[in-house]
Amino acid sequence: MFSDRIGRISPSATLAMTAEAADLRAAGVDVINLSVGEPDFPTPINIREAGKQAIDDGHTRYTPGGGTKDLKRAAAEKMSRDNDLHYELDEILISCGGKHSLYNACQVLFQTGDEVIIFSPFWVSFPDFVAVTGAKPVFVKTDAHRQFEPDFNDLKEKITSNTRGIIINSPSNPTGGVWGDNAILEVLNLAKNSNIWVFSDECYEQLTYDRSYVSIAKLAESYDKVLTFQSCSKTYAMTGWRIGYTAGDKRVIKAMGKLQGQSTSCPNAIAQVAAIEALTGDQSEVERMRVEFKKRRDYIVDRLNRMDGVSCITPGGAFYVFPDFSSHMGEDAKIKCSNDLSMYLLKEKSVVTVSGDAFGGEGHVRFSYAASNDDLRRAMDFVEDALNEI
Ligand code: PLP
């Protein structure tokens, strides 16, 4: 009944766990949800007010398919201010979130016969974005002890004449890893003089804790096949507003705009007005959230590393930790794999996590620390109890 295309993708594992948590909560269970990929803070008040005002001002109709000029200008201003990147308006496309931007870009650049490099552990959607185009996702190993930077021997082996794309996500979901400039320069060097598009998914660019963020396009000044993807979702606690944007080669931007015009008409008009306030208004809430996330990161990493047999690197960004629990797993053990552990935490302790295998990281479990200090403390107590029981 269905096309081959739809058979190539699977449901998002992270959204499935979020739904599971909602069901348990609806059944009256006191769940601690550490599976979420969104800030637990409200959208800042100035942005909410701008959204309300947009409705009263009549911003309730279709906008140009690729977003309003005002919002493109705001995105250009933001990237110039924060990333020292300078784009013209025809090099920017506004979409319905970063996910939509990445999906569109894969659709216009990749097809059957192409290969696209994805670093493992990876965000759950990357392989599906690639597979749905008919192209083949090719996974490259990373080194957990170096912020999950690439294993360059593996990368060199995996780049072939069919490679058309390399997707980088630093800070990363699920690991929180932030790559050093040298690692990025090395990837760019390998991509140079080829037909390879480098995607930089920068949706966590404002959430780095140990160094300031450098956009990949900034490091790649002489390489013009870099597409930058940013989003209002995580930076401004605006996940439900659905605004993201792509910056790069204007031919790619135009093709993505054509696809978007025929699939969604335009991003939400009200959210576009609110996003202008987000990108160009008062930025103090961004810093406030960052400081809070850093405290939580330090807490959760410390708690996990105190547990017997658990190893957790200190990730440089985002709001996830990806500890290794493999010493608690085994063929003959009660817990055989990441999924068993994630399910045990869910069923026995009402702590919702996402199993590492969903991200290509068997042996690990992803915890989001976008949760209150109290929830984090209780969840860590429960994880400790669970490890003593298994
Ligand atoms: N990229 C990564 C790595 C993410 O984790 C997410 C969301 O979880 C996105 C992109 C997409 O976010 P949005 O579509 O809300 O901008």
Side-chain angles (χ1 to χ4, degrees):
M1 175 164 95
F2 297 116
S3 65
D4 290 349
R5 195 177 315 115
I6 199 68
R8 289 189 208 119
I9 59 174
S10 30
S12 158
T14 47
L15 292 180
M17 282 312 259
T18 306
E20 186 94 32
D23 287 351
L24 281 174
R25 199 166 272 148
V29 180
D30 176 21
V31 293
I32 306 175
N33 189 0
L34 302 189
S35 76
V36 284
E38 58 186 350
D40 54 318
F41 303 106
T43 306
I45 181 76
N46 57 321
I47 303 172
R48 281 183 275 148
E49 290 300 339
K52 290 183 213 166
Q53 191 63 45
I55 298 175
D56 290 340
D57 290 347
H59 293 282
T60 52
R61 299 176 185 277
Y62 294 129
T63 73
T68 63
K69 278 211 166 118
D70 287 346
L71 179 52
K72 287 184 186 180
R73 234 175 257 120
E77 184 182 324
K78 183 266 165 213
M79 283 185 280
S80 166
R81 180 193 67 215
D82 292 353
N83 311 109
D84 196 18
L85 293 176
H86 307 283
Y87 289 105
E88 301 295 328
L89 298 199
D90 60 359
E91 295 173 309
I92 298 174
L93 181 82
I94 311 296
S95 301
C96 311
K99 193 177 229 178
H100 189 213
S101 310
L102 287 152
Y103 180 89
N104 282 342
C106 289
Q107 286 292 323
V108 307
L109 290 171
F110 309 139
Q111 60 193 351
T112 306
D114 294 341
E115 293 175 0
V116 178
I117 304 274
I118 293 171
F119 297 95
S120 185
F122 46 79
W123 179 42
V124 286
S125 295
F126 291 144
D128 297 76
F129 290 158
V130 170
V132 78
T133 70
K136 182 173 154 209
V138 174
F139 301 102
V140 166
K141 292 183 223 146
T142 57
D143 181 353
H145 298 287
R146 287 196 350 252
Q147 293 288 310
F148 294 89
E149 285 180 357
D151 171 332
F152 282 99
N153 290 331
D154 197 31
L155 177 59
K156 281 177 202 150
E157 265 175 38
K158 303 272 171 67
I159 294 180
T160 72
S161 56
N162 294 327
T163 308
R164 284 275 282 150
I166 297 181
I167 303 181
I168 301 177
N169 172 222
S170 166
S172 150
N173 175 6
T175 67
V178 177
W179 293 4
D181 293 352
N182 286 342
I184 288 166
L185 287 168
E186 204 166 333
V187 175
L188 291 169
N189 197 35
L190 291 171
K192 210 167 58 187
N193 307 324
S194 71
N195 204 13
I196 299 177
W197 287 90
V198 175
F199 284 25
S200 179
D201 177 354
E202 304 187 353
C203 73
Y204 298 100
E205 45 107 32
Q206 295 292 327
L207 294 175
T208 58
Y209 309 120
D210 305 318
R211 51 167 294 199
S212 51
Y213 185 73
V214 183
S215 257
I216 291 183
K218 187 67 204 159
L219 293 171
E221 268 168 333
S222 61
Y223 189 65
D224 55 6
K225 287 205 188 70
V226 175
L227 294 174
T228 302
F229 300 87
Q230 296 191 352
S231 170
C232 290
S233 288
K234 322 283 177 173
T235 304
Y236 302 105
M238 286 179 74
T239 46
W241 297 73
R242 311 305 306 132
I243 296 292
Y245 47 96
T246 312
D249 187 308
K250 62 180 172 202
R251 294 163 306 167
V252 178
I253 294 295
K254 192 170 172 198
M256 288 169 65
K258 186 164 72 166
L259 176 67
Q260 184 165 302
Q262 292 293 19
S263 52
T264 49
S265 292
C266 65
N268 179 294
I270 301 154
Q272 287 191 64
V273 177
I276 296 174
E277 174 62 23
L279 296 170
T280 59
D282 180 13
Q283 301 291 303
S284 53
E285 282 297 293
V286 177
E287 178 58 10
R288 198 182 67 76
M289 290 190 266
R290 199 187 65 79
V291 168
E292 191 54 40
F293 280 133
K294 181 174 192 288
K295 279 191 216 147
R296 295 178 190 178
R297 175 202 66 169
D298 293 344
Y299 173 76
I300 196 168
V301 169
D302 180 57
R303 283 296 305 268
L304 285 161
N305 280 322
R306 282 168 193 268
M307 294 178 203
D308 238 9
V310 179
S311 137
C312 183
I313 63 133
T314 302
F319 39 66
Y320 309 102
V321 286
F322 201 60
D324 183 351
F325 289 96
S326 51
S327 75
H328 288 273
M329 297 169 193
E331 278 284 291
D332 305 320
K334 185 167 173 184
I335 298 293
K336 298 189 170 32
C337 58
S338 296
N339 193 51
D340 284 356
L341 180 57
S342 196
M343 282 303 156
Y344 187 90
L345 291 172
L346 177 70
K347 304 283 181 220
E348 303 297 326
K349 306 291 171 195
S350 306
V351 175
V352 192
T353 60
V354 187
S355 165
D357 61 315
F359 310 97
E362 181 49 55
H364 296 249
V365 169
R366 189 193 79 172
F367 295 83
S368 158
Y369 50 88
S372 69
N373 293 332
D374 190 44
D375 275 359
L376 290 178
R377 186 187 50 73
R378 288 193 305 135
M380 289 302 105
D381 290 348
F382 281 132
V383 174
E384 213 159 48
D385 292 347
L387 295 180
N388 288 332
E389 287 160 21
I390 60 181

